[in-house]
Amino acid sequence: MIVDLRSDTVTKPTREMLEAMITSPVGDDVWGDDPTLNALQDRCAAMFGKEAACFVPSGTMANQLAIRAQTQPGDEIILHQESHIVRYEAGGAAALSGCSFATTTGDKGFFTSDDVHRLIRDEDAHFGHSRLLSLENTHNRGGGSIWPLEQLTDVCKTAHSFGLATHLDGARIWHAIVATGIDAQTWAKPFDTISACFSKGLGCPAGSVVMGSKDLIHKVHRFRKQFGGTMRQTGILAGAANYALDHNLNRLEEDHQLAKFLAEELNTICGITCNVENTETNLIFFDIDSSIGDGPTLCRQLTESGVLCEALDPQRIRFVTHLGVSKIQIDHALAVLKKLCD
Ligand SMILES: *Cc1c(COP(=O)(O)O)cnc(C)c1O
Protein backbone atom coordinates (compact mmCIF):
# COMPACT_ATOMS: atom_id res chain seq x y z
CA MET A 1 0.00 0.00 0.00
CA ILE A 2 1.32 3.45 -0.94
CA VAL A 3 0.33 6.32 1.35
CA ASP A 4 1.38 9.68 -0.05
CA LEU A 5 1.58 12.16 2.82
CA ARG A 6 4.10 14.52 1.19
CA SER A 7 1.63 17.28 0.37
CA ASP A 8 -1.96 18.03 -0.59
CA THR A 9 -0.59 19.01 -4.01
CA VAL A 10 -0.28 15.30 -4.91
CA THR A 11 -4.06 14.88 -5.24
CA LYS A 12 -5.17 13.63 -8.64
CA PRO A 13 -8.38 14.74 -10.34
CA THR A 14 -11.18 12.26 -9.76
CA ARG A 15 -13.36 10.86 -12.53
CA GLU A 16 -16.12 13.33 -11.55
CA MET A 17 -13.72 16.27 -11.71
CA LEU A 18 -12.41 15.12 -15.10
CA GLU A 19 -16.02 14.84 -16.25
CA ALA A 20 -16.64 18.45 -15.17
CA MET A 21 -13.50 19.52 -17.04
CA ILE A 22 -14.39 17.94 -20.36
CA THR A 23 -18.02 19.07 -20.29
CA SER A 24 -17.34 22.74 -19.41
CA PRO A 25 -17.84 25.14 -22.34
CA VAL A 26 -14.61 26.89 -23.31
CA GLY A 27 -13.45 29.90 -25.32
CA ASP A 28 -10.19 31.81 -25.79
CA ASP A 29 -9.31 33.68 -22.61
CA VAL A 30 -6.87 36.01 -24.40
CA TRP A 31 -10.02 37.26 -26.16
CA GLY A 32 -11.83 37.20 -22.82
CA ASP A 33 -14.52 34.85 -24.06
CA ASP A 34 -14.09 31.67 -22.04
CA PRO A 35 -17.50 31.40 -20.32
CA THR A 36 -16.46 28.85 -17.67
CA LEU A 37 -13.43 30.91 -16.68
CA ASN A 38 -15.42 34.15 -16.56
CA ALA A 39 -18.02 32.49 -14.35
CA LEU A 40 -15.33 31.14 -12.00
CA GLN A 41 -13.67 34.56 -11.68
CA ASP A 42 -17.03 36.21 -10.91
CA ARG A 43 -17.81 33.49 -8.40
CA CYS A 44 -14.48 33.91 -6.59
CA ALA A 45 -14.77 37.72 -6.51
CA ALA A 46 -18.27 37.43 -4.99
CA MET A 47 -17.23 34.74 -2.53
CA PHE A 48 -14.33 36.84 -1.19
CA GLY A 49 -16.27 40.13 -1.34
CA LYS A 50 -13.94 41.79 -3.89
CA GLU A 51 -14.74 43.56 -7.17
CA ALA A 52 -12.74 41.29 -9.46
CA ALA A 53 -10.66 38.11 -9.78
CA CYS A 54 -8.00 36.83 -12.17
CA PHE A 55 -7.21 33.13 -12.70
CA VAL A 56 -3.53 32.17 -12.96
CA PRO A 57 -1.56 28.90 -13.37
CA SER A 58 0.02 28.69 -9.89
CA GLY A 59 -0.01 30.05 -6.35
CA THR A 60 3.48 31.41 -6.83
CA MET A 61 2.39 33.43 -9.84
CA ALA A 62 -0.67 34.66 -7.92
CA ASN A 63 1.54 36.02 -5.13
CA GLN A 64 4.11 37.46 -7.52
CA LEU A 65 1.43 39.25 -9.55
CA ALA A 66 -0.10 40.73 -6.40
CA ILE A 67 3.37 42.00 -5.43
CA ARG A 68 4.11 43.32 -8.92
CA ALA A 69 0.78 45.18 -9.08
CA GLN A 70 1.27 46.92 -5.73
CA THR A 71 4.97 47.83 -5.61
CA GLN A 72 7.77 49.68 -7.40
CA PRO A 73 11.44 48.66 -7.56
CA GLY A 74 13.14 49.68 -4.30
CA ASP A 75 10.02 49.04 -2.23
CA GLU A 76 10.09 46.85 0.84
CA ILE A 77 7.62 44.11 1.78
CA ILE A 78 6.92 43.33 5.43
CA LEU A 79 6.27 39.64 6.09
CA HIS A 80 7.19 36.66 8.27
CA GLN A 81 10.61 35.13 7.66
CA GLU A 82 9.03 31.66 7.35
CA SER A 83 6.48 32.71 4.74
CA HIS A 84 6.21 30.98 1.38
CA ILE A 85 7.02 34.22 -0.46
CA VAL A 86 10.35 34.46 1.41
CA ARG A 87 11.37 30.80 1.35
CA TYR A 88 9.87 29.06 -1.65
CA GLU A 89 9.33 31.47 -4.53
CA ALA A 90 12.85 31.44 -5.97
CA GLY A 91 13.54 35.04 -5.00
CA GLY A 92 10.67 36.16 -7.22
CA ALA A 93 9.89 39.42 -5.42
CA ALA A 94 13.48 40.61 -5.97
CA ALA A 95 13.80 39.25 -9.50
CA LEU A 96 10.43 40.28 -10.88
CA SER A 97 9.43 43.33 -8.83
CA GLY A 98 12.75 44.68 -7.48
CA CYS A 99 11.55 44.47 -3.88
CA SER A 100 13.40 43.64 -0.70
CA PHE A 101 11.98 42.03 2.46
CA ALA A 102 11.71 43.29 6.01
CA THR A 103 10.99 40.10 7.96
CA THR A 104 9.37 39.35 11.30
CA THR A 105 9.62 36.28 13.47
CA GLY A 106 6.91 34.80 15.67
CA ASP A 107 5.28 31.52 16.66
CA LYS A 108 3.23 29.64 14.08
CA GLY A 109 3.92 32.25 11.39
CA PHE A 110 2.07 34.99 13.28
CA PHE A 111 3.27 38.47 14.21
CA THR A 112 1.80 41.56 15.83
CA SER A 113 1.01 45.19 15.13
CA ASP A 114 4.07 46.15 17.15
CA ASP A 115 6.27 44.04 14.86
CA VAL A 116 4.82 45.83 11.83
CA HIS A 117 5.29 49.18 13.52
CA ARG A 118 8.94 48.41 14.20
CA LEU A 119 9.64 47.47 10.58
CA ILE A 120 7.95 50.42 8.91
CA ARG A 121 10.63 52.86 7.81
CA ASP A 122 10.58 56.63 8.07
CA GLU A 123 10.73 58.77 4.99
CA ASP A 124 14.49 59.06 4.45
CA ALA A 125 16.62 58.86 1.32
CA HIS A 126 18.65 56.03 2.90
CA PHE A 127 15.71 53.68 3.30
CA GLY A 128 13.63 51.44 1.11
CA HIS A 129 9.95 52.34 0.91
CA SER A 130 7.74 50.28 3.20
CA ARG A 131 4.99 49.52 0.71
CA LEU A 132 3.29 46.17 1.23
CA LEU A 133 2.39 43.91 4.13
CA SER A 134 1.90 40.24 3.32
CA LEU A 135 0.68 37.47 5.58
CA GLU A 136 -0.17 33.82 5.13
CA ASN A 137 -3.36 32.07 6.27
CA THR A 138 -3.26 29.20 6.94
CA HIS A 139 0.48 29.45 7.54
CA ASN A 140 2.34 26.62 5.84
CA ARG A 141 5.63 26.51 7.83
CA GLY A 142 3.67 27.51 10.93
CA GLY A 143 2.02 24.07 10.76
CA GLY A 144 -1.15 24.95 8.84
CA SER A 145 -1.89 27.44 11.61
CA ILE A 146 -4.94 29.71 11.50
CA TRP A 147 -4.41 33.39 12.28
CA PRO A 148 -6.63 34.72 15.06
CA LEU A 149 -9.03 37.00 13.14
CA GLU A 150 -8.65 39.90 15.55
CA GLN A 151 -4.85 39.86 15.36
CA LEU A 152 -4.95 39.64 11.57
CA THR A 153 -7.35 42.58 11.36
CA ASP A 154 -5.22 44.60 13.75
CA VAL A 155 -1.98 43.99 11.83
CA CYS A 156 -3.63 45.07 8.56
CA LYS A 157 -5.10 48.16 10.20
CA THR A 158 -1.65 49.24 11.33
CA ALA A 159 -0.24 48.70 7.82
CA HIS A 160 -3.05 50.69 6.21
CA SER A 161 -2.65 53.53 8.69
CA PHE A 162 0.91 53.97 7.38
CA GLY A 163 -0.23 53.87 3.75
CA LEU A 164 0.92 50.29 3.06
CA ALA A 165 -1.11 47.92 0.92
CA THR A 166 -1.96 44.46 2.30
CA HIS A 167 -1.78 41.05 0.65
CA LEU A 168 -3.04 37.69 1.90
CA ASP A 169 -1.26 34.57 0.66
CA GLY A 170 -4.35 32.41 0.95
CA ALA A 171 -3.02 29.32 -0.82
CA ARG A 172 -4.79 27.36 1.96
CA ILE A 173 -7.38 29.94 3.03
CA TRP A 174 -10.00 27.24 2.37
CA HIS A 175 -8.78 25.35 5.42
CA ALA A 176 -9.16 28.42 7.62
CA ILE A 177 -12.70 28.95 6.30
CA VAL A 178 -13.78 25.36 6.94
CA ALA A 179 -12.01 24.93 10.30
CA THR A 180 -13.37 28.14 11.84
CA GLY A 181 -16.70 28.63 10.06
CA ILE A 182 -15.58 32.23 9.39
CA ASP A 183 -16.51 32.97 5.78
CA ALA A 184 -14.22 33.99 2.92
CA GLN A 185 -15.46 37.60 2.87
CA THR A 186 -14.61 38.12 6.54
CA TRP A 187 -11.11 36.67 6.14
CA ALA A 188 -10.54 38.75 3.00
CA LYS A 189 -11.92 42.07 4.22
CA PRO A 190 -8.69 43.56 5.66
CA PHE A 191 -6.74 42.86 2.45
CA ASP A 192 -6.27 44.72 -0.82
CA THR A 193 -5.35 41.50 -2.63
CA ILE A 194 -5.82 37.80 -1.85
CA SER A 195 -4.39 34.74 -3.58
CA ALA A 196 -5.91 31.27 -3.26
CA CYS A 197 -4.92 27.85 -4.71
CA PHE A 198 -7.21 25.27 -6.30
CA SER A 199 -4.35 22.79 -6.72
CA LYS A 200 -3.85 21.83 -3.08
CA GLY A 201 -6.56 20.62 -0.70
CA LEU A 202 -9.28 21.27 -3.26
CA GLY A 203 -7.77 18.64 -5.54
CA CYS A 204 -7.42 20.44 -8.91
CA PRO A 205 -4.55 19.66 -11.27
CA ALA A 206 -3.58 23.37 -11.55
CA GLY A 207 -4.82 26.87 -10.99
CA SER A 208 -4.92 29.73 -8.50
CA VAL A 209 -6.73 33.03 -8.33
CA VAL A 210 -5.94 36.63 -7.33
CA MET A 211 -8.75 38.86 -6.04
CA GLY A 212 -8.97 42.59 -5.38
CA SER A 213 -10.39 45.88 -6.63
CA LYS A 214 -11.17 46.37 -10.34
CA ASP A 215 -8.16 48.66 -10.72
CA LEU A 216 -5.74 46.23 -9.08
CA ILE A 217 -7.04 43.23 -10.99
CA HIS A 218 -6.76 45.22 -14.22
CA LYS A 219 -3.03 45.57 -13.43
CA VAL A 220 -2.75 41.91 -12.42
CA HIS A 221 -4.39 40.92 -15.72
CA ARG A 222 -1.83 42.99 -17.66
CA PHE A 223 1.16 41.64 -15.71
CA ARG A 224 -0.15 38.09 -16.08
CA LYS A 225 0.27 38.52 -19.83
CA GLN A 226 3.76 39.96 -19.29
CA PHE A 227 4.75 37.05 -17.00
CA GLY A 228 3.52 34.60 -19.63
CA GLY A 229 0.68 33.26 -17.51
CA THR A 230 -2.29 33.97 -19.78
CA MET A 231 -3.74 30.78 -21.24
CA ARG A 232 -6.30 30.01 -23.96
CA GLN A 233 -9.04 27.40 -23.35
CA THR A 234 -8.64 27.90 -19.61
CA GLY A 235 -12.22 26.79 -18.98
CA ILE A 236 -10.94 23.21 -18.79
CA LEU A 237 -9.08 24.19 -15.59
CA ALA A 238 -11.84 26.52 -14.43
CA GLY A 239 -14.27 23.59 -14.80
CA ALA A 240 -12.14 21.67 -12.29
CA ALA A 241 -12.06 24.66 -9.91
CA ASN A 242 -15.84 25.12 -10.08
CA TYR A 243 -16.29 21.43 -9.38
CA ALA A 244 -13.86 21.67 -6.45
CA LEU A 245 -15.72 24.60 -4.87
CA ASP A 246 -18.99 22.65 -5.15
CA HIS A 247 -17.73 19.29 -3.90
CA ASN A 248 -14.29 19.47 -2.26
CA LEU A 249 -14.46 22.50 0.01
CA ASN A 250 -16.64 21.31 2.89
CA ARG A 251 -15.01 17.89 2.90
CA LEU A 252 -11.74 19.49 4.12
CA GLU A 253 -13.24 18.92 7.56
CA GLU A 254 -12.53 15.20 7.08
CA ASP A 255 -8.84 15.96 6.40
CA HIS A 256 -8.68 18.08 9.56
CA GLN A 257 -10.22 15.31 11.68
CA LEU A 258 -7.86 12.72 10.24
CA ALA A 259 -4.92 15.07 10.93
CA LYS A 260 -5.98 15.42 14.60
CA PHE A 261 -6.31 11.66 14.92
CA LEU A 262 -2.89 11.18 13.33
CA ALA A 263 -1.32 13.78 15.65
CA GLU A 264 -2.76 12.07 18.73
CA GLU A 265 -1.56 8.64 17.59
CA LEU A 266 1.92 9.94 16.73
CA ASN A 267 2.27 11.10 20.31
CA THR A 268 1.82 7.53 21.57
CA ILE A 269 4.93 6.40 19.67
CA CYS A 270 8.03 6.42 21.86
CA GLY A 271 10.53 9.07 20.72
CA ILE A 272 8.01 11.08 18.70
CA THR A 273 6.32 14.27 19.81
CA CYS A 274 3.57 16.04 18.00
CA ASN A 275 1.76 19.14 19.21
CA VAL A 276 -1.88 18.06 18.89
CA GLU A 277 -3.26 21.49 19.78
CA ASN A 278 -1.20 23.10 17.01
CA THR A 279 -2.50 20.60 14.47
CA GLU A 280 -5.36 22.87 13.44
CA THR A 281 -5.85 21.90 9.80
CA ASN A 282 -4.32 19.26 7.49
CA LEU A 283 -0.57 19.70 8.13
CA ILE A 284 0.98 17.52 10.85
CA PHE A 285 4.50 18.35 12.08
CA PHE A 286 6.26 15.94 14.42
CA ASP A 287 9.66 15.90 16.08
CA ILE A 288 11.95 12.90 16.27
CA ASP A 289 14.13 12.21 19.27
CA SER A 290 17.77 11.72 18.28
CA SER A 291 17.63 8.24 19.93
CA ILE A 292 15.46 7.14 16.96
CA GLY A 293 17.54 8.92 14.35
CA ASP A 294 17.08 12.02 12.27
CA GLY A 295 14.31 13.38 10.05
CA PRO A 296 15.82 12.77 6.60
CA THR A 297 16.81 9.17 7.48
CA LEU A 298 13.44 8.26 8.99
CA CYS A 299 11.73 9.95 6.07
CA ARG A 300 13.75 7.83 3.62
CA GLN A 301 12.91 4.65 5.56
CA LEU A 302 9.22 5.55 5.56
CA THR A 303 9.31 6.29 1.84
CA GLU A 304 11.01 2.95 1.13
CA SER A 305 8.15 1.31 3.08
CA GLY A 306 5.54 3.09 0.96
CA VAL A 307 4.78 6.00 3.30
CA LEU A 308 5.83 9.10 1.40
CA CYS A 309 6.60 12.20 3.46
CA GLU A 310 8.87 15.20 3.75
CA ALA A 311 11.61 16.02 6.27
CA LEU A 312 11.24 19.72 7.09
CA ASP A 313 14.21 20.11 9.43
CA PRO A 314 16.94 17.79 10.79
CA GLN A 315 14.60 16.45 13.52
CA ARG A 316 11.21 17.23 12.03
CA ILE A 317 8.92 15.49 9.54
CA ARG A 318 5.71 16.69 7.93
CA PHE A 319 2.65 14.59 7.08
CA VAL A 320 -0.25 16.07 5.11
CA THR A 321 -3.79 14.72 4.91
CA HIS A 322 -5.85 15.27 1.77
CA LEU A 323 -8.63 13.79 -0.34
CA GLY A 324 -6.36 11.01 -1.60
CA VAL A 325 -5.78 9.62 1.92
CA SER A 326 -8.27 7.42 3.81
CA LYS A 327 -8.47 6.36 7.47
CA ILE A 328 -7.28 2.88 6.44
CA GLN A 329 -4.18 4.37 4.84
CA ILE A 330 -3.48 6.47 7.93
CA ASP A 331 -3.73 3.37 10.13
CA HIS A 332 -1.28 1.65 7.79
CA ALA A 333 1.14 4.60 7.89
CA LEU A 334 1.05 4.57 11.70
CA ALA A 335 1.76 0.84 11.79
CA VAL A 336 4.75 1.27 9.47
CA LEU A 337 6.12 4.14 11.55
CA LYS A 338 5.66 2.24 14.83
CA LYS A 339 7.66 -0.67 13.42
CA LEU A 340 10.48 1.61 12.27
CA CYS A 341 10.65 3.32 15.68
CA ASP A 342 10.72 0.08 17.65
C1 LIG B 1 1.86 26.14 -2.15
C2 LIG B 1 1.88 27.51 -1.67
C3 LIG B 1 2.06 28.57 -2.57
C4 LIG B 1 2.44 28.39 -4.03
O1 LIG B 1 1.65 27.60 -4.79
P1 LIG B 1 2.21 26.87 -6.12
O2 LIG B 1 0.95 26.60 -6.86
O3 LIG B 1 2.94 25.66 -5.65
O4 LIG B 1 3.07 27.83 -6.84
C5 LIG B 1 2.02 29.85 -2.06
N1 LIG B 1 1.79 30.07 -0.76
C6 LIG B 1 1.64 29.09 0.13
C7 LIG B 1 1.36 29.41 1.56
C8 LIG B 1 1.66 27.77 -0.29
O5 LIG B 1 1.51 26.79 0.60
Side-chain angles (χ1 to χ4, degrees):
M1 184 189 286
I2 300 290
V3 189
D4 196 344
L5 303 174
R6 286 173 299 169
S7 176
D8 45 13
T9 57
V10 301
T11 51
K12 292 174 184 158
T14 56
R15 173 167 290 280
E16 292 78 13
M17 181 178 278
L18 289 168
E19 192 70 30
M21 292 169 76
I22 60 174
T23 53
S24 295
V26 294
D28 185 337
D29 183 44
V30 174
W31 296 88
D33 63 10
D34 187 307
T36 307
L37 182 70
N38 291 339
L40 173 71
Q41 290 175 159
D42 290 347
R43 178 182 187 176
C44 290
M47 188 177 176
F48 284 83
K50 300 295 174 191
E51 286 174 356
C54 183
F55 186 84
V56 298
S58 71
T60 299
M61 192 184 283
N63 285 334
Q64 293 303 325
L65 285 168
I67 291 169
R68 183 69 185 85
Q70 296 179 98
T71 58
Q72 298 288 334
D75 284 351
E76 206 161 65
I77 306 169
I78 296 177
L79 71 187
H80 196 285
Q81 69 175 15
E82 295 296 331
S83 61
H84 194 278
I85 289 172
V86 173
R87 290 190 59 117
Y88 302 127
E89 301 196 3
L96 303 168
S97 299
C99 290
S100 53
F101 296 141
T103 57
T104 73
T105 53
D107 262 8
K108 295 162 77 177
F110 305 156
F111 50 87
T112 64
S113 250
D114 284 347
D115 296 325
V116 175
H117 229 127
R118 229 183 349 263
L119 290 171
I120 289 175
R121 296 183 183 269
D122 296 334
E123 183 57 46
D124 182 309
H126 293 86
F127 301 154
H129 263 134
S130 305
R131 183 67 201 111
L132 180 67
L133 172 84
S134 176
L135 63 82
E136 204 173 295
N137 196 25
T138 64
H139 200 282
N140 187 342
R141 294 248 334 158
S145 51
I146 304 167
W147 271 78
L149 181 61
E150 207 172 312
Q151 188 176 346
L152 171 145
T153 308
D154 195 46
V155 160
C156 289
K157 209 161 118 189
T158 301
H160 279 143
S161 74
F162 283 90
L164 275 72
T166 55
H167 172 65
L168 171 65
D169 178 354
R172 291 196 181 83
I173 189 63
W174 318 111
H175 296 270
I177 295 167
V178 170
T180 60
I182 298 170
D183 66 18
Q185 285 199 25
T186 307
W187 282 120
K189 197 157 186 272
F191 297 96
D192 297 299
T193 52
I194 302 116
S195 61
C197 285
F198 297 112
S199 53
K200 293 191 169 164
L202 294 186
C204 295
S208 286
V209 66
V210 191
M211 290 151 293
S213 68
K214 270 206 175 90
D215 280 355
L216 275 172
I217 297 306
H218 180 73
K219 285 188 187 172
V220 164
H221 188 261
R222 212 187 143 71
F223 287 126
R224 183 185 66 174
K225 188 72 191 157
Q226 203 177 73
F227 284 19
T230 308
M231 298 175 283
R232 299 289 179 171
Q233 282 70 42
T234 320
I236 293 172
L237 291 174
N242 269 319
Y243 177 89
L245 290 175
D246 289 338
H247 298 96
N248 292 351
L249 180 56
N250 292 329
R251 66 152 301 288
L252 292 176
E253 186 54 35
E254 296 169 33
D255 299 342
H256 299 169
Q257 280 169 10
L258 211 46
K260 265 273 194 264
F261 168 75
L262 184 48
E264 281 160 5
E265 291 297 313
L266 283 169
N267 257 331
T268 67
I269 303 174
C270 193
I272 285 182
T273 34
C274 178
N275 188 327
V276 178
E277 202 186 322
N278 283 357
T279 308
E280 296 175 77
T281 55
N282 68 325
L283 311 185
I284 305 103
F285 290 4
F286 59 95
D287 295 319
I288 301 129
D289 192 89
S290 51
S291 61
I292 301 182
D294 62 77
T297 306
L298 184 57
C299 187
R300 197 171 53 246
Q301 291 169 330
L302 280 164
T303 301
E304 279 162 10
S305 312
V307 179
L308 282 55
C309 57
E310 190 189 24
L312 283 187
D313 291 313
Q315 296 303 134
R316 178 167 278 194
I317 287 179
R318 184 180 85 164
F319 281 168
V320 184
T321 56
H322 52 79
L323 59 76
V325 177
S326 64
K327 171 74 166 56
I328 292 165
Q329 287 175 300
I330 291 295
D331 288 338
H332 177 74
L334 282 163
V336 169
L337 180 61
K338 270 180 194 154
K339 217 171 181 177
L340 287 172
C341 292
D342 250 356

